[in-house]
Amino acid sequence: MTYVHPHFARRPVRHLGRPPCRVVPLALGALIAFATPAAPQDPSATSIREQIRERIEVFRAVGDMSAGGRSILAKTALPRFYEERAFEPIWVAPGSAARLRELTSAIRTSEDHGLDPEAYHLAAIDSLARRVGERFDEDAASDLEILATDAFLVLGSHLLHGRVNPETINPEWLANRRSARLDTILARAVERSRISDGLYALAPQQERYRRMLDAARTLRALVARGGWPVVSDGERLEVGSEGPRVLELRRRLGIGGDVAPDEDGGRAEPLRFDQSLFEAVRRFQERHGLDADGVVGRATLAALNVPAEARLRQIEINLERWRWLPAELGDRHIEVNIPGFDVRVVEQGAIVARHRAVVGRRYRATPMFSGSMTYLVLAPYWHVPPTIAAVDKLPLIKQDPGQIARDRMTLLELGTDAPVDPATVDWASMTGAEFNRRYRLRQDPGPFNALGHVKFMFPNRHNVYLHDTPSRDLFERTARDFSSGCIRVDRAFELAEYLLRDRPGWTRQRIEEVARGSVERTVPLGAAVPVHLLYWTAWTEDDTALHFREDIYGRDEVVWRALTAPPPVD
């Protein structure tokens, strides 16, 4: 049974901004909780309304707006919100103190989602609220009104579909993000006096996202206490090792949640590497995608000594990736985790099957996108992609044109698909560009085919799909980034059987008989299955244990730079 450290055990989720006690409406002159300064005194609604109208009209003329020395970011939603309510204020109107307090609480706890509260004008809102609360100032009140609305709209936007547009940092990402009219959501939240709830509903609602929020809170608190200790460099540690480095290892694994309390019945010798420590090391290795041999070698030591701050950053980066996803992944869907080298079949939120995967090498990286699987191809031909034909195959063919026949391939004339005798081609002067203008390569079905016996098709602009492979030994590797972009899947017949389970007559036996033949066969699925190619370098499993993986394509740093850049405007 997997041990779960109390740090990472399932706990009730404290949603964004939800106060720990009942919110009691305050008079406008009362102090706002959470160190928010005094609420505005009763202003002249007419004068504030006129100020808002004038500012928006100026914005419409010049295309820019600021308040309290801060640029307004919601340049579309904010003017529309006030125009549709005849410029009536919502944050500095009589009876609005509790509303403003709820907003500032939500802004403060946006940190739980890996977001920066200062991106939502927190300090400026506090300062303006204090100023207006002490002595009503019409200019300050209108600044406060506009900044608070901008804060709600921008925070809502970031919770809804991410602070960063993934298409700007990974051009191959085809985003299918959630969308909503944020000004309408704000109007509804004001009408129902449910400011926090209006924001809660915008964040991803999947249980795995909520578990990541819990993990981020726990790790953030650990970072505030100094993080975890370093294990000193030295010879590898294994069962029987003794000395102070073993004690360092025991402490590090204990803080990280991999050592079960009293797992050894209290008989552990702190300076000796015993069986209980062996099991703890294996748990750590499994969570970090390492060879789970229970030995602390170079790779395991490096993973142990990654600072807690860096792991927290990883979680925050992957929380952002969650916000890029559609609201519904599908009652039945397939997830490919590229850095995790695995394929998962998910039904009603539960993982019903796992398959090891081989993904693209760094210079032929597997893209991230969502698609819809509609059919399988049994006994497939392999139509060699132009890049592979020009870069990988052509140099071998130029050395020996007989390579085409040995690879069970056919040289075809582009356009007519007529077979071409390789002996009739002047290979000596052939360039990759010319080859792709005149010819293409096709590999016959069979056990030697690069796609194996089956490919799983979800049409997309990248021409990426899942497929079987004859090179099954690669699945035994821990790191499996060896392909040219497509995803090779282990136990492909099992996956095919699962996907065709609602197609009468397609038993496992029939699937294998057709797939091992020499005639290509297309088999439509009974219903389309969503497929999500994802890039998780941090996630939680069903037992709430945190898992981390190496950033094989260097994408985390790109996301982090975008997350910490000045906030984008709408």
Side-chain angles (χ1 to χ4, degrees):
M1 184 177 83
T2 302
Y3 170 69
V4 182
H5 190 276
H7 278 315
F8 302 112
R10 184 185 300 272
R11 298 187 303 283
V13 175
R14 181 170 62 88
H15 293 292
L16 171 70
R18 189 180 299 278
C21 59
R22 184 170 60 92
V23 175
V24 180
L26 303 177
L28 276 173
L31 292 177
I32 295 176
F34 303 107
T36 302
Q41 297 174 7
D42 189 6
S44 165
T46 300
S47 64
I48 298 299
R49 187 168 59 244
E50 288 304 306
Q51 280 235 16
I52 296 171
R53 177 193 59 75
E54 182 180 355
R55 287 183 176 211
I56 289 176
E57 288 180 356
V58 170
F59 163 72
R60 293 294 193 198
V62 303
D64 197 14
M65 182 186 294
S66 64
R70 304 271 298 190
S71 294
I72 297 304
L73 304 175
K75 295 182 183 295
T76 301
L78 186 145
R80 186 169 59 201
F81 171 77
Y82 281 111
E83 288 167 347
E84 291 183 357
R85 61 182 290 108
F87 309 104
E88 287 289 341
I90 60 172
W91 310 107
V92 298
S96 63
R99 186 181 299 158
L100 185 60
R101 183 179 75 168
E102 201 173 350
L103 175 67
T104 55
S105 175
I107 294 172
R108 284 186 173 84
T109 53
S110 65
E111 185 180 45
D112 290 346
H113 295 253
L115 300 170
D116 179 7
E118 279 309 309
Y120 315 107
H121 316 306
L122 181 60
I125 290 173
D126 280 350
S127 176
L128 286 166
R130 183 181 302 110
R131 177 178 164 189
V132 173
E134 291 171 351
R135 181 179 60 83
F136 177 70
D137 179 298
E138 188 175 286
D139 291 336
S142 62
D143 278 345
L144 175 59
E145 173 70 27
I146 291 172
L147 276 185
T149 297
D150 192 57
F152 181 100
L153 296 172
V154 175
L155 176 54
S157 172
H158 293 173
L159 290 171
L160 179 66
H161 45 62
R163 188 179 186 277
V164 177
N165 180 351
E167 294 178 11
T168 64
I169 59 173
N170 292 115
E172 81 282 2
W173 180 287
L174 296 181
N176 182 22
R177 298 186 294 170
R178 299 168 296 144
S179 61
R181 276 279 300 265
L182 290 166
D183 53 312
T184 301
I185 290 172
L186 174 55
R188 189 179 303 125
V190 170
E191 178 184 346
R192 299 175 180 176
S193 298
R194 304 290 291 271
I195 299 299
S196 293
D197 286 352
L199 286 167
Y200 305 153
L202 295 172
Q205 298 300 301
Q206 286 91 345
E207 177 63 23
R208 285 182 290 169
Y209 182 84
R210 298 184 182 189
R211 290 202 302 262
M212 287 282 281
L213 292 182
D214 274 344
R217 292 187 191 103
T218 299
L219 195 51
R220 191 172 292 110
L222 179 61
V223 168
R225 296 193 300 268
W228 45 57
V230 170
V231 180
S232 302
D233 198 11
E235 296 182 356
R236 71 183 205 164
L237 297 173
E238 56 191 331
V239 171
S241 297
E242 294 183 343
R245 293 181 65 237
V246 174
L247 180 59
E248 293 173 351
L249 174 64
R250 193 179 296 278
R251 288 173 176 167
R252 166 63 182 89
L253 293 173
I255 291 176
D258 293 293
V259 172
D262 298 326
E263 187 173 48
D264 57 2
R267 296 186 298 274
E269 300 177 45
L271 300 181
R272 181 175 177 78
F273 196 123
D274 56 14
Q275 187 64 30
S276 68
L277 195 56
F278 171 83
E279 296 299 335
V281 170
R282 279 178 49 84
R283 278 191 287 268
F284 176 89
Q285 291 169 328
E286 288 169 355
R287 290 196 303 109
H288 292 76
L290 302 167
D291 288 327
D293 58 5
V295 175
V296 180
R298 183 178 303 174
T300 300
L301 183 64
L304 285 163
N305 286 336
V306 172
E309 295 90 340
R311 293 305 189 195
L312 176 60
R313 185 167 75 175
Q314 251 182 294
I315 294 175
E316 293 176 345
I317 288 166
N318 286 275
L319 285 170
E320 175 72 0
R321 289 191 175 113
W322 263 109
R323 295 189 285 267
W324 296 347
L325 295 179
E328 299 296 334
L329 300 180
D331 290 341
R332 179 174 71 149
H333 66 270
I334 292 173
E335 295 181 15
V336 178
N337 182 11
I338 298 168
F341 309 117
D342 74 349
V343 173
R344 300 182 180 194
V345 180
V346 182
E347 284 189 9
Q348 304 296 330
I351 299 170
V352 297
R354 298 172 187 255
H355 300 258
R356 293 174 296 183
V358 173
V359 302
R361 289 163 281 184
R362 182 161 187 158
Y363 66 93
R364 289 182 182 168
T366 299
M368 299 174 290
F369 64 95
S370 294
S372 183
M373 187 178 294
T374 53
Y375 65 96
L376 311 183
V377 180
L378 305 179
Y381 284 103
W382 180 38
H383 303 280
V384 182
T387 298
I388 297 177
V391 175
D392 298 345
K393 299 299 182 183
L394 181 58
L396 299 177
I397 295 170
K398 292 177 74 170
Q399 291 180 14
D400 179 7
Q403 186 69 42
I404 294 176
R406 284 195 296 275
D407 287 341
R408 312 296 202 279
M409 288 185 178
T410 303
L411 182 67
L412 300 171
E413 185 176 35
L414 201 63
T416 67
D417 272 354
V420 177
D421 182 353
T424 65
V425 177
D426 179 12
W427 294 109
S429 62
M430 183 70 65
T431 65
E434 182 183 1
F435 180 88
N436 285 329
R437 282 196 302 270
R438 297 177 58 186
Y439 306 111
R440 70 182 185 89
L441 290 169
R442 184 186 68 191
Q443 189 175 41
D444 295 333
F448 41 77
N449 186 283
L451 305 184
H453 296 295
V454 57
K455 64 178 180 178
F456 306 84
M457 299 302 294
F458 42 105
N460 58 84
R461 74 179 189 188
H462 307 289
N463 195 29
V464 164
Y465 43 86
L466 274 66
H467 64 83
D468 186 20
T469 176
S471 304
R472 292 183 174 84
D473 58 308
L474 293 179
F475 292 120
E476 302 303 321
R477 308 275 188 95
T478 302
R480 297 189 289 274
D481 48 339
F482 302 110
S483 85
S484 295
C486 286
I487 301 98
R488 306 176 196 173
V489 59
D490 191 20
R491 306 190 332 273
F493 285 140
E494 284 185 27
L495 182 58
E497 180 184 17
Y498 170 85
L499 291 168
L500 296 178
R501 64 183 183 176
D502 53 356
R503 289 293 313 277
W506 282 102
T507 63
R508 174 67 172 269
Q509 180 179 355
R510 185 185 180 198
I511 291 170
E512 291 200 33
E513 285 176 354
V514 175
R516 295 184 188 280
S518 59
V519 179
E520 188 177 64
R521 175 76 177 269
T522 299
V523 186
L525 302 186
V529 177
V531 179
H532 306 284
L533 274 59
L534 306 172
Y535 196 85
W536 301 131
T537 56
W539 72 91
T540 59
E541 290 286 4
D542 292 341
D543 60 6
T544 76
L546 260 175
H547 287 248
F548 297 98
R549 291 296 184 272
E550 182 183 352
D551 178 17
I552 58 173
Y553 297 157
R555 289 173 173 168
D556 277 6
E557 185 59 32
V558 177
V559 177
W560 184 250
R561 287 199 303 268
L563 276 174
T564 52
V569 299
D570 72 354

